[in-house]
Amino acid sequence: ECPVWLVAEPVSRLIIEERIRMLDGDVTDVVEAKAIGAKPEYIHVYSASWGPDDDGRTVDGPGPLAKQAFENGIKKGRRGRGSIFVWASGNGGREGDHCSCDGYTNSIYTVSVSSTTENGNKPWYLEECASTLATTYSSGAFYERQIMTTDLKKHCTDGHTGTSVSAPMVAGIIALALEAK
C-alpha cells in the first residue's frame, strides 16, 4: 500500500491540479502550447517530463505556438511574476543522447532537472548538458531503490525511475519555497 502524505493548506492553494492529456494522440505544436499555457493565472509551477525522442539522433524543440506559450507564462504567469517551468532533462543516456539537443529542457524558460542514484552516482539513463540546474534522487542500477508512487491505474508501484521522477520532486520543492517566500 502506498503511504499517504499530508500537505499543509497553504501549499494546496498554491498548487492546482490541471491534467492535459498529450500522449493519447498526435502531439502537435497546438497541443504542446495548450499544455504549457494552461491557466497561468492559477498554476505557479509546471512540471513536464516530455520532449523529443531520447534516441541520440533527434534534435528538436518547441514550435512557434509552444514558444509563445512559454513567453506568455514567463511574462504574465503567477500574476505577473512569471510561471516556473520545471523540465525533465531526458533518459537517453544509454542511447548517447544529450539534453543539449532537447529544445525544451535546454530552453531559457525552463529549470532543467536530472537524476542521481541513491549513492550519488550517475544513472545509466543520464543525459548530460550545461542546462541542468538541479538533480534529485531517482534510481540507478537494478539493485538500487526506486521511487514509490501510483501508476496510471492508480495502483502503488515502487519501480518508478528516471528524470520523469526527478522533475516533479523539484517542482514540489519550488512550490514549497514559493509558499515560504
Side-chain angles (χ1 to χ4, degrees):
E1 186 171 313
C2 284
V4 176
W5 299 96
L6 299 177
V7 178
E9 174 61 28
V11 174
S12 65
R13 285 190 320 232
L14 181 65
I15 302 170
I16 297 175
E17 183 177 339
E18 176 74 14
R19 294 183 184 186
I20 298 174
R21 294 189 60 93
M22 292 184 57
L23 303 177
D24 60 347
D26 291 335
V27 180
T28 64
D29 189 28
V30 171
V31 172
E32 290 180 0
K34 284 182 180 179
I36 294 166
K39 300 187 180 184
E41 66 278 12
Y42 298 109
I43 302 173
H44 294 193
V45 183
Y46 294 77
S47 178
S49 300
W50 49 268
D53 290 336
D54 289 330
D55 59 10
R57 298 182 306 274
T58 303
V59 177
D60 198 8
L65 296 174
K67 283 181 186 177
Q68 185 177 14
F70 274 130
E71 290 175 11
N72 184 56
I74 292 300
K75 292 176 183 174
K76 298 179 182 174
R78 288 193 313 133
R79 298 182 186 104
R81 294 177 304 224
S83 299
I84 300 170
F85 298 98
V86 179
W87 223 270
S89 65
N91 299 324
R94 178 181 279 171
E95 303 299 324
D97 205 7
H98 198 274
C99 50
S100 292
C101 297
D102 179 331
Y104 300 90
T105 194
N106 202 29
S107 169
I108 62 170
Y109 303 122
T110 61
V111 176
S112 177
V113 179
S114 189
S115 298
T116 185
T117 70
E118 69 178 309
N119 297 313
N121 298 317
K122 294 178 185 177
W124 57 270
Y125 51 82
L126 178 80
E127 292 184 35
E128 296 183 59
C129 69
S131 70
T132 301
L133 296 176
T135 299
T136 68
Y137 166 71
S138 174
S139 65
F142 70 92
Y143 54 84
E144 292 180 290
R145 290 178 291 182
Q146 299 174 353
I147 301 300
M148 181 175 283
T149 188
T150 52
D151 61 20
L152 291 173
K153 296 177 183 174
K154 298 185 181 179
H155 296 110
C156 189
T157 177
D158 62 359
H160 195 29
T161 66
T163 60
S164 297
V165 171
S166 295
M169 284 186 197
V170 170
I173 292 166
I174 291 171
L176 289 170
L178 288 174
E179 182 63 29
K181 297 179 186 175

